[in-house]
Amino acid sequence: MPELKIVNMAGAEVGTINLADSVFACDVNGAVLHAAVKSYLGNQRQGTQSTLTRTEVSGGGKKPWRQKGTGRARQGSTRAPQWTHGGIALGPKPRLYKTKLNKKVRALAMTSALSSKVAAGEMIVVDAITATEYKTKPMVKMLSAIGAGKKVLVVLPEKNDMVYESFSNIPGVKVALSNTINVYDILNCDSFVVAKDAAMKIQEVYA
């Protein structure tokens, strides 16, 4: 059972927290993590790219020259792919990039991602992340005090507009709720900063 220290916003240690092995200390499954990240990135794609084929570009109704006797290669249309302003051969068309993972695989990917952060020493538990005004400076000071890296994922137990807006101007920092975190964001950050209540909620869901 991993035991992490709890710090306050000033960076001082105020206690410890014991986390469940089944969520924060399980075996990291690389194949499942790869599938989860690939699914997440694919699901972000719109898939609306589209090129015009030779049947969709304008013009080209008449055969440019007769079939034989000119000494040139035979051509059937000025809108074939080899012509300027011709159609695109084998170009992209609208498609769905979405893939689905079953519930057990998604849960395994999440616990693997959380465990990898704990094992790497990149998870920081803060007793409470609060704000009394819409100011970026206190949040920058907090991240510096707790030793956060350049890319930070801050997880809150519940929605707090003041905290969210205070973090929003800091480059490399993303704020999420305990029920909206995803595997990609967890793996993509240098420091996984979690409020104590948010850590307990995550553990309750995935234990």
Side-chain angles (χ1 to χ4, degrees), residues 118-152:
V118 173
E122 297 175 352
M123 180 172 174
I124 304 171
V125 181
V126 183
D127 60 345
I129 302 174
T130 59
T132 57
E133 55 184 343
Y134 289 93
K135 289 286 186 180
T136 300
K137 189 174 181 179
M139 299 306 166
V140 173
K141 187 176 180 181
M142 183 203 82
L143 294 176
S144 177
I146 64 177
K150 291 184 177 180
K151 296 177 71 174
V152 183

Side-chain angles (χ1 to χ4, degrees), residues 88-116:
I88 301 298
L90 307 177
K93 283 293 186 181
R95 55 165 288 194
L96 289 176
Y97 290 90
K98 294 185 180 296
T99 56
K100 290 185 178 180
L101 300 177
N102 65 49
K103 188 175 180 180
K104 287 185 178 180
V105 172
R106 292 198 306 269
L108 179 57
M110 180 62 71
T111 56
S112 291
L114 294 170
S115 298
S116 69

